[in-house]
Amino acid sequence: MKALIKYQILSFFYSLQWIAPLALYVCWLFSQYYYQGMPIQDHFSISSLFLFPFIVWVSMKLGSQETESEKLILLSYSPRKTAFFIGKIIVLWFIGAGFMVFSIAVPFILGGFSEPLSLHHILTFLYRHLAFIGFGIWIGGLFSITRLAGKKYSWLAAALFTSSAIVGEKLFEVLPWYLKGLAFVLPPVSAVEEGVQESWRVLLYIMMSHLLLFVLFQKKERSGE
């Protein structure tokens, strides 16, 4: 398992497919924190929300990194097929943690905080960013690891799903009553914005979405797609 995770990390690193999303995210962070005086909570709220589509981007790249022949070779060396999936998820959380480091390091470099950083601020930072990393892995994995929308429409489906999640509340208001149930399938972005009082809902969604990813991956492998 460790060898598989190490291989996936090194393979993704040497593929250089992480450079574009990371570079754009860091550039955005520098532009965001260039304007000093904004409260820390507002900074963290914006940086975590913008992290969301970048994690979807990385998840799409990592999820579809191997060709079918490479994947078959990796699966043959894995103790079980689920190890391949679990390895992908672990690597994605690891990459997400790397993005978080930049999220907290850039404002320190620029001196962008207008107030002292407290324990409450740090916990808020961790909660918001980890939540959006979980959401991003779910959407990226759904349309890459499981190939739910097929190769042709996977990026379009991921973009629509991500955009719909960000505007979830407004979408819920305009949808006809018989389609409102679709809004509950989307990541609860508004629950993250409401604070830790809705953390149970966020945690439950991340756990259930990752479990569903696992089930869909197994179904895909059994069908031999």
Side-chain angles (χ1 to χ4, degrees):
M1 185 69 178
K2 289 182 180 179
L4 179 62
I5 293 173
K6 182 180 178 181
Y7 171 82
Q8 290 179 340
I9 291 175
L10 292 177
S11 177
F12 190 63
F13 177 80
Y14 288 119
S15 72
L16 304 181
Q17 296 186 62
W18 52 272
I19 291 180
L22 180 60
L24 286 175
Y25 185 63
V26 171
C27 287
W28 178 86
L29 286 173
F30 271 93
S31 66
Q32 168 70 20
Y33 287 104
Y34 180 79
Y35 300 98
Q36 300 181 5
M38 185 183 293
I40 293 179
Q41 294 283 58
D42 292 344
H43 273 305
F44 288 165
S45 178
I46 297 171
S47 67
S48 59
L49 182 60
F50 269 79
L51 178 61
F52 180 26
F54 283 100
I55 295 299
V56 174
W57 185 354
V58 172
S59 300
M60 291 290 293
K61 287 293 187 180
L62 182 65
S64 57
Q65 181 181 358
E66 295 89 5
T67 62
E68 286 302 318
S69 57
E70 290 173 335
K71 183 179 174 182
L72 288 173
I73 294 172
L74 286 174
L75 289 173
S76 66
Y77 282 98
S78 302
R80 54 189 184 280
K81 288 185 176 180
T82 55
F84 177 82
F85 170 82
I86 295 171
K88 288 280 188 186
I89 298 300
I90 291 174
V91 172
L92 285 170
W93 277 102
F94 178 79
I95 294 171
F99 273 75
M100 283 178 61
V101 171
F102 284 98
S103 296
I104 195 69
V106 169
F108 273 112
I109 295 172
L110 297 180
F113 292 143
S114 61
E115 53 189 301
L117 193 64
S118 66
L119 178 61
H120 173 72
H121 291 141
I122 294 173
L123 293 176
T124 300
F125 167 83
L126 291 172
Y127 168 66
R128 288 180 179 275
H129 287 73
L130 288 173
F132 281 110
I133 289 171
F135 295 163
I137 292 173
W138 152 242
I139 295 177
L142 185 64
F143 297 109
S144 62
I145 297 176
T146 68
R147 301 280 173 82
L148 184 65
K151 291 182 179 181
K152 187 175 182 180
Y153 299 107
S154 58
W155 282 94
L156 175 61
L160 289 174
F161 208 81
T162 305
S163 302
S164 299
I166 293 174
V167 297
E169 282 191 352
K170 295 295 182 182
L171 188 66
F172 184 82
E173 292 174 4
V174 300
L175 282 176
W177 64 269
Y178 52 86
L179 291 178
K180 287 187 182 292
L182 296 176
F184 292 101
V185 180
L186 301 172
V189 171
S190 59
V192 179
E193 298 301 321
E194 290 174 10
V196 294
Q197 62 267 26
E198 291 290 328
S199 59
W200 65 270
R201 182 181 163 194
V202 173
L203 180 61
L204 180 63
Y205 184 91
I206 292 174
M207 291 173 60
M208 294 302 294
S209 62
H210 280 50
L211 178 61
L212 181 57
L213 269 184
F214 177 73
V215 172
L216 291 173
F217 172 79
Q218 285 191 312
K219 182 179 179 181
K220 173 178 174 290
E221 291 304 313
R222 283 197 297 267
S223 64
E225 297 178 359

